[in-house]
Amino acid sequence: MTEKSIVHIVDDEEAVRTSLATLLEINGFVARVYGSGTEFLDRVDPSVPGCALVDLKMPGLDGLGLLRKMADSNIKVPVVMMTGFGEVATAVKAMKAGAADFLEKPLDSEELLTLLNRLLSQAVVTAEVEQRKEQAQARLAKLTERERDVFNGLVIGKTNKAIALDLNISPRTVEIHRAHIMAKLEAGTLSDLVRLGLSLGDRP
Protein backbone atom coordinates (compact mmCIF):
# COMPACT_ATOMS: atom_id res chain seq x y z
CA MET A 1 0.00 0.00 0.00
CA THR A 2 1.03 3.63 -0.54
CA GLU A 3 0.03 6.93 1.05
CA LYS A 4 -2.55 7.18 -1.71
CA SER A 5 -4.21 3.91 -0.64
CA ILE A 6 -6.87 5.75 1.33
CA VAL A 7 -10.03 4.17 2.66
CA HIS A 8 -12.72 6.57 3.88
CA ILE A 9 -14.86 5.08 6.65
CA VAL A 10 -18.28 6.73 6.93
CA ASP A 11 -20.30 5.43 9.86
CA ASP A 12 -22.20 7.14 12.68
CA GLU A 13 -20.99 4.56 15.25
CA GLU A 14 -17.61 5.46 16.71
CA ALA A 15 -16.85 1.87 17.72
CA VAL A 16 -17.32 0.71 14.13
CA ARG A 17 -15.11 3.49 12.78
CA THR A 18 -12.37 2.73 15.29
CA SER A 19 -12.34 -1.04 14.75
CA LEU A 20 -12.34 -0.71 10.97
CA ALA A 21 -9.61 1.94 11.00
CA THR A 22 -7.45 -0.28 13.21
CA LEU A 23 -7.94 -3.31 10.94
CA LEU A 24 -7.11 -1.33 7.82
CA GLU A 25 -4.05 0.42 9.22
CA ILE A 26 -2.64 -2.90 10.48
CA ASN A 27 -2.94 -4.13 6.89
CA GLY A 28 -1.17 -1.14 5.38
CA PHE A 29 -4.07 1.09 4.37
CA VAL A 30 -4.52 4.75 5.26
CA ALA A 31 -7.86 5.12 7.07
CA ARG A 32 -9.89 8.33 7.22
CA VAL A 33 -12.95 8.36 9.48
CA TYR A 34 -16.15 10.41 9.28
CA GLY A 35 -19.12 10.40 11.63
CA SER A 36 -21.62 11.36 8.92
CA GLY A 37 -22.08 11.61 5.19
CA THR A 38 -22.08 15.38 5.44
CA GLU A 39 -18.68 15.39 7.16
CA PHE A 40 -17.33 13.14 4.40
CA LEU A 41 -18.58 15.49 1.67
CA ASP A 42 -16.99 18.47 3.47
CA ARG A 43 -13.58 16.86 3.94
CA VAL A 44 -12.95 14.39 1.11
CA ASP A 45 -10.44 15.23 -1.60
CA PRO A 46 -11.75 13.38 -4.69
CA SER A 47 -8.52 14.04 -6.60
CA VAL A 48 -6.66 11.56 -4.37
CA PRO A 49 -7.29 7.90 -5.29
CA GLY A 50 -9.18 5.98 -2.66
CA CYS A 51 -12.46 4.27 -1.87
CA ALA A 52 -15.11 4.56 0.82
CA LEU A 53 -16.81 2.21 3.24
CA VAL A 54 -20.24 3.71 3.86
CA ASP A 55 -22.87 2.57 6.32
CA LEU A 56 -26.25 2.21 4.63
CA LYS A 57 -28.30 3.25 7.65
CA MET A 58 -27.19 6.55 9.20
CA PRO A 59 -29.21 9.38 10.76
CA GLY A 60 -29.61 12.41 8.53
CA LEU A 61 -27.84 11.68 5.27
CA ASP A 62 -27.94 7.90 4.83
CA GLY A 63 -25.87 5.80 2.43
CA LEU A 64 -28.23 6.18 -0.53
CA GLY A 65 -28.48 9.91 0.04
CA LEU A 66 -24.71 10.18 0.18
CA LEU A 67 -24.41 8.36 -3.15
CA ARG A 68 -26.78 10.88 -4.72
CA LYS A 69 -24.85 13.82 -3.27
CA MET A 70 -21.58 12.36 -4.55
CA ALA A 71 -23.03 12.00 -8.03
CA ASP A 72 -24.34 15.58 -7.95
CA SER A 73 -20.89 16.84 -6.88
CA ASN A 74 -19.02 14.61 -9.36
CA ILE A 75 -17.12 12.90 -6.52
CA LYS A 76 -15.85 9.72 -8.18
CA VAL A 77 -14.78 7.71 -5.14
CA PRO A 78 -15.79 4.01 -5.30
CA VAL A 79 -18.23 3.20 -2.52
CA VAL A 80 -18.66 -0.10 -0.69
CA MET A 81 -21.99 -0.06 1.12
CA MET A 82 -22.03 -1.71 4.55
CA THR A 83 -25.42 -3.26 5.23
CA GLY A 84 -27.14 -4.96 8.12
CA PHE A 85 -29.11 -8.20 8.10
CA GLY A 86 -32.10 -8.08 5.78
CA GLU A 87 -30.91 -5.02 3.85
CA VAL A 88 -29.74 -6.81 0.71
CA ALA A 89 -32.62 -5.43 -1.39
CA THR A 90 -31.65 -1.90 -0.39
CA ALA A 91 -27.99 -2.69 -1.06
CA VAL A 92 -28.88 -3.77 -4.59
CA LYS A 93 -30.68 -0.45 -4.97
CA ALA A 94 -27.48 1.26 -3.80
CA MET A 95 -25.45 -0.53 -6.46
CA LYS A 96 -27.91 0.63 -9.09
CA ALA A 97 -27.36 4.15 -7.71
CA GLY A 98 -23.61 3.87 -8.19
CA ALA A 99 -22.12 1.84 -5.32
CA ALA A 100 -19.23 -0.37 -6.43
CA ASP A 101 -20.20 -3.24 -4.12
CA PHE A 102 -21.73 -4.05 -0.76
CA LEU A 103 -20.78 -6.13 2.28
CA GLU A 104 -23.04 -7.48 5.00
CA LYS A 105 -22.29 -6.84 8.66
CA PRO A 106 -20.52 -8.23 10.55
CA LEU A 107 -17.84 -7.72 7.91
CA ASP A 108 -15.56 -10.61 7.03
CA SER A 109 -12.01 -9.25 7.30
CA GLU A 110 -10.53 -11.29 4.46
CA GLU A 111 -13.39 -10.49 2.10
CA LEU A 112 -13.16 -6.80 3.01
CA LEU A 113 -9.40 -6.57 2.42
CA THR A 114 -9.61 -8.41 -0.90
CA LEU A 115 -12.36 -6.11 -2.11
CA LEU A 116 -10.55 -2.94 -1.00
CA ASN A 117 -7.32 -3.99 -2.71
CA ARG A 118 -9.21 -4.52 -5.96
CA LEU A 119 -11.09 -1.23 -5.77
CA LEU A 120 -8.00 0.76 -4.84
CA SER A 121 -6.03 -0.70 -7.74
CA GLN A 122 -8.84 0.32 -10.08
CA ALA A 123 -9.04 3.77 -8.47
CA VAL A 124 -5.34 4.43 -9.03
CA VAL A 125 -5.61 3.41 -12.69
CA THR A 126 -8.69 5.60 -13.16
CA ALA A 127 -6.95 8.57 -11.55
CA GLU A 128 -3.93 8.15 -13.82
CA VAL A 129 -6.16 8.00 -16.90
CA GLU A 130 -8.01 11.15 -15.80
CA GLN A 131 -4.71 12.93 -15.15
CA ARG A 132 -3.40 12.05 -18.61
CA LYS A 133 -6.66 13.22 -20.12
CA GLU A 134 -6.48 16.58 -18.33
CA GLN A 135 -2.86 17.03 -19.40
CA ALA A 136 -3.74 16.20 -23.01
CA GLN A 137 -6.63 18.66 -23.01
CA ALA A 138 -4.35 21.40 -21.64
CA ARG A 139 -1.79 20.75 -24.37
CA LEU A 140 -4.41 20.64 -27.12
CA ALA A 141 -5.76 24.00 -25.95
CA LYS A 142 -2.64 25.52 -27.53
CA LEU A 143 -3.86 24.59 -31.01
CA THR A 144 -5.90 26.81 -33.30
CA GLU A 145 -9.24 25.50 -34.56
CA ARG A 146 -7.74 24.57 -37.93
CA GLU A 147 -4.76 22.86 -36.29
CA ARG A 148 -7.17 20.88 -34.14
CA ASP A 149 -8.98 19.74 -37.31
CA VAL A 150 -5.68 18.55 -38.78
CA PHE A 151 -4.73 16.89 -35.48
CA ASN A 152 -8.03 14.99 -35.42
CA GLY A 153 -7.31 13.66 -38.90
CA LEU A 154 -3.78 12.64 -38.03
CA VAL A 155 -4.68 10.68 -34.90
CA ILE A 156 -7.17 8.48 -36.78
CA GLY A 157 -4.57 7.67 -39.41
CA LYS A 158 -5.54 9.90 -42.32
CA THR A 159 -2.89 10.96 -44.82
CA ASN A 160 -2.02 14.60 -45.46
CA LYS A 161 -3.81 14.33 -48.80
CA ALA A 162 -6.98 12.93 -47.23
CA ILE A 163 -6.99 15.63 -44.54
CA ALA A 164 -6.46 18.30 -47.20
CA LEU A 165 -9.43 16.96 -49.15
CA ASP A 166 -11.64 16.89 -46.04
CA LEU A 167 -10.74 20.45 -45.06
CA ASN A 168 -10.63 21.85 -48.60
CA ILE A 169 -7.03 23.02 -48.24
CA SER A 170 -3.81 22.05 -50.00
CA PRO A 171 -1.59 19.18 -48.84
CA ARG A 172 1.21 21.72 -48.40
CA THR A 173 -0.97 23.69 -45.96
CA VAL A 174 -1.63 20.48 -44.05
CA GLU A 175 2.13 19.91 -43.80
CA ILE A 176 2.60 23.40 -42.38
CA HIS A 177 -0.19 22.87 -39.84
CA ARG A 178 1.31 19.50 -38.94
CA ALA A 179 4.71 21.08 -38.27
CA HIS A 180 3.07 23.71 -36.04
CA ILE A 181 1.15 21.01 -34.19
CA MET A 182 4.28 18.95 -33.56
CA ALA A 183 6.08 22.01 -32.21
CA LYS A 184 3.23 23.21 -29.98
CA LEU A 185 2.62 19.75 -28.51
CA GLU A 186 6.34 18.99 -28.24
CA ALA A 187 5.77 15.78 -30.18
CA GLY A 188 8.76 14.14 -31.82
CA THR A 189 6.85 11.67 -33.99
CA LEU A 190 3.40 10.97 -35.36
CA SER A 191 3.06 8.17 -32.80
CA ASP A 192 3.42 10.79 -30.05
CA LEU A 193 0.42 12.62 -31.51
CA VAL A 194 -1.60 9.41 -31.71
CA ARG A 195 -0.85 8.57 -28.06
CA LEU A 196 -1.89 12.07 -27.06
CA GLY A 197 -5.15 11.70 -28.95
CA LEU A 198 -5.85 8.30 -27.45
CA SER A 199 -5.26 9.62 -23.94
CA LEU A 200 -8.37 11.77 -24.35
CA GLY A 201 -10.40 8.61 -24.37
CA ASP A 202 -13.01 9.89 -26.83
CA ARG A 203 -11.00 9.47 -30.01
CA PRO A 204 -11.90 6.82 -32.62
Side-chain angles (χ1 to χ4, degrees):
M1 294 296 102
T2 68
E3 179 61 23
K4 290 186 177 182
S5 301
I6 294 175
V7 180
H8 306 281
I9 302 168
V10 188
D11 196 300
D12 60 299
E13 295 186 36
E14 184 177 359
V16 173
R17 297 195 302 271
T18 301
S19 62
L20 281 175
T22 300
L23 171 66
L24 295 179
E25 288 170 354
I26 287 173
N27 284 277
F29 296 90
V30 178
R32 300 283 183 266
V33 295
Y34 312 84
S36 68
T38 302
E39 182 184 356
F40 170 77
L41 292 173
D42 289 341
R43 291 172 48 199
V44 68
D45 180 357
S47 68
V48 178
C51 60
L53 287 170
V54 176
D55 189 27
L56 178 62
K57 292 291 181 68
M58 293 185 288
L61 187 64
D62 64 7
L64 286 174
L66 178 57
L67 280 174
R68 287 191 288 268
K69 292 282 189 180
M70 290 174 67
D72 291 343
S73 301
N74 198 33
I75 298 174
K76 297 178 180 179
V77 176
V79 168
V80 176
M81 199 64 68
M82 299 183 291
T83 68
F85 179 76
E87 295 175 346
V88 175
T90 309
V92 172
K93 187 184 297 184
M95 290 188 70
K96 290 180 179 179
D101 213 324
F102 72 92
L103 293 173
E104 290 186 88
K105 294 179 177 179
L107 304 183
D108 178 273
S109 298
E110 186 175 344
E111 183 182 10
L112 171 63
L113 296 173
T114 299
L115 177 57
L116 291 179
N117 274 312
R118 176 170 61 82
L119 290 179
L120 285 167
S121 295
Q122 293 172 347
V124 169
V125 171
T126 299
E128 290 174 349
V129 169
E130 288 297 316
Q131 184 180 43
R132 286 196 296 269
K133 185 173 181 178
E134 290 175 4
Q135 291 171 345
Q137 289 172 334
R139 293 170 70 185
L140 290 178
K142 301 175 183 178
L143 303 182
T144 66
E145 184 176 352
R146 178 59 82 193
E147 288 169 348
R148 184 64 183 265
D149 291 337
V150 172
F151 172 83
N152 289 341
L154 290 171
V155 298
I156 61 174
K158 288 190 175 183
T159 64
N160 288 357
K161 186 175 181 179
I163 295 171
L165 188 61
D166 288 343
L167 301 179
N168 196 28
I169 56 179
S170 71
R172 175 57 183 159
T173 301
V174 173
E175 290 178 9
I176 294 171
H177 284 313
R178 177 170 169 168
H180 290 164
I181 292 168
M182 301 284 280
K184 287 183 177 180
L185 300 183
E186 300 176 0
T189 64
L190 179 58
S191 63
D192 291 337
L193 292 183
V194 173
R195 280 193 293 271
L196 183 61
L198 292 175
S199 67
L200 290 172
D202 55 357
R203 296 276 155 202

